[in-house]
Amino acid sequence: MKNILIIEDNKSYQNLLRKACGFESWHVFTADDGNEGIKLIGKEKIDLIILDILMPGMDGISFYYQLKNIIKKHIPIIVLTNVSDMTAYGKDIKDVLIKSNVSLQEVVRKVKECLK
Amino acid sequence: MLKKIISPYIPYLFILLFTLSVIIGFAKISYDHAYKDMTGLILRERRSTSFLAAKILEDRFDRIIDIVVSEADCDEVEESISKGNWKEAIKLYENLPKKFPFIERVFLNTPEGTATAVFPYIPGIVGNNYSYRDWYKGVSRTWQPYVSDIFKSTGVPEINTVSINVPIWSKEKKVIGIMGIQIKLDTLLAWSKIVSKDPSLLVFFVDKTGNVTGHPSYPPQGDIRNLSHLLAVQNVLKGETGEKILFDPQLKKDVLSTYYPVDPYGWGVVILERVDLVFENRDHYLNNLVLLWALIAFGVVLIIIIILKTKSVYSRLKEKEKILLESIGDGVFVLDKNFKIILWNKAAADITGLKSDEVIGKKYSGVLKFINAKSGNDTTHVIEDAVKKGEIKHLDLNTIMILPDGRKIPVGDSAAPIFSKNKVEGAIVVFHDMTQEHELNAAKDEFIGIAAHQLRTPLGVIRWNIETLLDNKFGQKTKETRKSLEDVYKNNLNLISLVNDLLDVSRINRGKVGSKPEPIDILALVKEIIEERKKDIQTRKIIVEVPTDTKIPKIHTDPNLISQVLRNLFSNALKYNKINGKISIDFKKRDKTLFITIKDSGIGIPKKDQDKVFEKFSRAGNAVKLGIGGTGLGLFVVKSYLEILRGSIRLESEEDKGTSFYLELPYEEHSHY
């Protein structure tokens, strides 16, 4: 069973994503910001992260750099945001999706592609 | 007050006075010259006349003396006189008056002056002694022939006469008698008339005492007139030649007297003429000369006044122009045809902080630089283009003016050529500070950006929730529920699309859109776009034609921008098409430019809307009427993105027939591909 970490401050998105991922029989962890995400990564083995950018506390970009440079873990990330000027591309960032511009099924499909 | 009115004209008055004094100077010189020349000529002419008259008189006297001398030198006469027979002697001369009509009488006298015989005879003469007479004194002085003064002869009738007397010599060279002839004064009058027939010219002779003869106004007979009181007469009797202007109390006029002495006889010739008549022609000429100069002076003064007036009108107009340009709230500067700044108004100085004396006379490109804020391109040349092409040029809205100290001011401006006689003589550039507008626009764009991002979150939540509801995994829905959900879903998607467009526009306006060229397969991209819209294509039964040619180059350009461009255009071709319509996409390459044509068979764009469709929020009238949704931002984004990619777009369209978009996209060929 694959472990998916959703770092998203908006509860609606969190729930929708959790539900959709649950249908795919993945184990879903949720975090409300980057700090919580970092904590969870220390405790659990995470196979993929769905990461929001604008969040109170630690934002998505800071989380990404912390993960890459301090924790030094390489976990594939799908950025899911509503900020269209997102330019933080990196090796672990598999895709950047605009929430309003993709369907939930497309998100699930991308996750599936990344887990293969 | 008066001083204030006059003072601006003082330089002009000086010019006028100076010109006038130069003209008057020339006129004076020319007048004096003409006066001197003409007077000299007239006087020389008069002197020649007087010389001629003197020579005539001298010649006549000489000839008469010759006659008398030869008549006196006669042996028979000598013989008769020696015998004391004077009557015999006089008889020998009886034919003389007939032979020489000017001879009035012939006399014979003793050497002592006693009259001995006269022919024609008159009583009361013979026996009288005339040694008191001038003629006797004259001839007896040296026993030479002598021309007497004018005198009244003794005897009846009394006549005014001049006598010529010569001694009669014996063989022993002794004076034995005196022969005299009297000449009628009428003869002398005839002589004077030889000189001049002009009635205004009075020619007359004077004897040694100043007695007058030959004067046309004085009859030869009657009282003998003496004019020795006249200066001219006095001078000529002194043997002098010359001219004198004297006042004639009788005529009450100035009279010119020219005189010439007849030296051998002590006589003189005087010519009198009224000064006004003598110099009539000269004065006439001189009057004309003065008139001519007056006309010249008048003409020159008139020309100067016209020139000065034109100049003052011109300078007043210029002043007015300057005041107008100074008063304009926008910055204005004027360039001559060499692109040098010749006018710099107050607003220009206020905006730039450069005073007019710092920039006047300098080439504008040496003072100011203009760049496009979006592309960073130097647009300084736009002003020169306006002058060279003679067209009005507007600088791009995103123009930034760079000052010599490096300050940057966003400006909006236009450059218009100045024509003079259809030739471009310079340019007028109007600009205004757009800092506030830019700040306002930036704030607006930022607001739209933030607002749109905030809108996306709930829109995304709605979208996903409806997708979840529509998914049968969450239970079956009634047909009505499903239809309603689909409707909400569709409208939500439209709203998302509007927000996306607004975000794009906001990013374009803020200059946040950059180009990151990457090698891309344009044909694959087009196929991907078609694949995305497969469902819509099938629903509306649209035939889509794409080239099968695999030789289409893999090009080097920004994938996000070009895909957005093609996506928007394809979306339009689909949206505005008719059921069973057609879309054809074609590519051509030439000189590192890719030409893309996207042609549809849709509703077309009305002629009147074609110019505006690339503007923000512009929608074609027929599309709005047919209720086809759209934001009016798609083509603006297309055009803006193509500009960033240094490409261009144009369209051809006919209502109800369809629209063709023609794109030109310069690219770098990618060799690794």
Side-chain angles (χ1 to χ4, degrees), chain A residues 36-64:
Chain A
E36 277 186 35
I38 295 282
K39 279 179 202 162
L40 272 164
I41 284 167
K43 285 192 259 173
E44 307 290 336
K45 183 196 162 280
I46 302 296
D47 297 301
L48 185 134
I49 303 167
I50 294 173
L51 178 64
D52 188 18
I53 295 294
L54 291 180
M55 287 176 293
M58 188 189 283
D59 67 26
I61 292 170
S62 307
F63 169 83
Y64 171 61

Side-chain angles (χ1 to χ4, degrees), chain A residues 44-101:
Chain A
E44 307 290 336
K45 183 196 162 280
I46 302 296
D47 297 301
L48 185 134
I49 303 167
I50 294 173
L51 178 64
D52 188 18
I53 295 294
L54 291 180
M55 287 176 293
M58 188 189 283
D59 67 26
I61 292 170
S62 307
F63 169 83
Y64 171 61
Y65 284 108
Q66 190 135 359
L67 185 70
K68 195 174 97 176
N69 299 326
I70 297 170
I71 304 173
K72 298 195 178 175
K73 276 197 173 171
H74 293 288
I75 304 169
I77 296 171
I78 290 173
V79 173
L80 198 55
T81 177
N82 271 326
V83 183
S84 44
D85 298 335
M86 170 65 195
T87 49
Y89 282 86
K91 202 185 152 200
D92 296 328
I93 294 175
K94 300 297 170 196
D95 220 328
V96 178
L97 302 172
I98 305 291
K99 285 180 213 162
S100 65
N101 292 1

Side-chain angles (χ1 to χ4, degrees), chain B residues 63-297:
Chain B
R63 276 160 59 189
I64 296 170
I65 285 169
D66 284 350
I67 292 163
V68 181
V69 166
S70 77
E71 290 293 332
D73 186 21
C74 173
D75 289 349
E76 284 166 29
V77 171
E78 189 202 324
E79 206 173 303
S80 301
I81 291 171
S82 300
K83 286 174 191 166
N85 193 352
W86 294 91
K87 277 187 185 166
E88 200 65 35
I90 200 89
K91 269 189 187 157
L92 292 163
Y93 295 123
E94 277 177 359
N95 66 333
L96 267 186
K98 259 187 215 160
K99 203 172 163 189
F100 304 105
F102 55 84
I103 295 175
E104 180 83 27
R105 286 177 190 146
V106 186
F107 291 89
L108 289 174
N109 306 284
T110 65
E112 290 78 32
T114 305
T116 52
V118 58
F119 179 86
Y121 177 77
I122 44 165
I125 297 286
V126 175
N128 291 343
N129 186 283
Y130 293 101
S131 61
Y132 63 90
R133 288 274 200 195
D134 164 65
W135 62 259
Y136 176 75
K137 283 173 188 166
V139 75
S140 64
R141 201 173 297 138
T142 53
W143 296 115
Q144 291 292 321
Y146 179 72
V147 177
S148 79
D149 290 334
I150 300 155
F151 64 100
K152 270 197 190 300
S153 69
T154 324
V156 182
E158 239 180 9
I159 52 159
N160 296 337
T161 183
V162 169
S163 76
I164 289 168
N165 305 276
V166 300
I168 303 166
W169 299 90
S170 69
K171 285 201 177 66
E172 293 81 29
K173 300 287 174 206
K174 209 180 140 203
V175 176
I176 53 170
I178 298 162
M179 179 182 174
I181 59 148
Q182 285 182 346
I183 303 165
K184 281 187 264 187
L185 290 190
D186 307 64
T187 309
L188 273 85
L189 182 61
W191 293 350
S192 76
K193 281 185 178 162
I194 296 170
V195 180
S196 168
K197 291 190 170 59
D198 184 351
S200 67
L201 214 65
L202 296 180
V203 183
F204 62 87
F205 309 118
V206 289
D207 69 8
K208 294 187 286 297
T209 62
N211 288 336
V212 175
T213 180
H215 195 301
S217 312
Y218 305 145
Q221 302 310 324
D223 290 339
I224 293 168
R225 304 289 184 117
N226 189 290
L227 292 176
S228 58
H229 60 280
L230 291 180
L231 197 64
V233 173
Q234 286 165 15
N235 286 349
V236 80
L237 293 181
K238 277 186 223 159
E240 287 172 10
T241 307
E243 306 85 33
K244 279 272 172 296
I245 290 173
L246 299 163
F247 184 72
D248 186 321
Q250 270 182 315
L251 287 168
K252 291 186 178 147
K253 277 193 160 59
D254 279 336
V255 170
L256 170 73
S257 34
T258 319
Y259 46 92
Y260 207 96
V262 187
D263 282 330
Y265 303 106
W267 284 49
V269 172
V270 177
I271 300 172
L272 293 180
E273 203 177 355
R274 262 169 56 189
V275 166
D276 53 349
L277 296 176
V278 177
F279 295 119
E280 198 181 14
N281 286 340
R282 181 201 69 182
D283 291 347
H284 191 68
Y285 174 81
L286 290 176
N287 284 343
N288 284 345
L289 195 69
V290 170
L291 202 71
L292 182 73
W293 277 107
L295 274 174
I296 290 172

Side-chain angles (χ1 to χ4, degrees), chain B residues 19-38:
Chain B
T19 318
L20 265 181
S21 47
V22 168
I23 292 169
I24 290 169
F26 273 114
K28 175 91 172 80
I29 290 167
S30 116
Y31 183 92
D32 286 352
H33 227 78
Y35 180 89
K36 216 173 124 192
D37 282 358
M38 295 187 82

Side-chain angles (χ1 to χ4, degrees), chain A residues 13 82 85 100-102 104, chain B residues 453 456-457 464 467 500 507:
Chain A
Y13 280 118
N82 271 326
D85 298 335
S100 65
N101 292 1
V102 287
L104 197 49
Chain B
H453 279 128
R456 267 181 172 173
T457 301
W464 286 5
E467 279 171 0
N500 285 339
R507 285 168 69 234

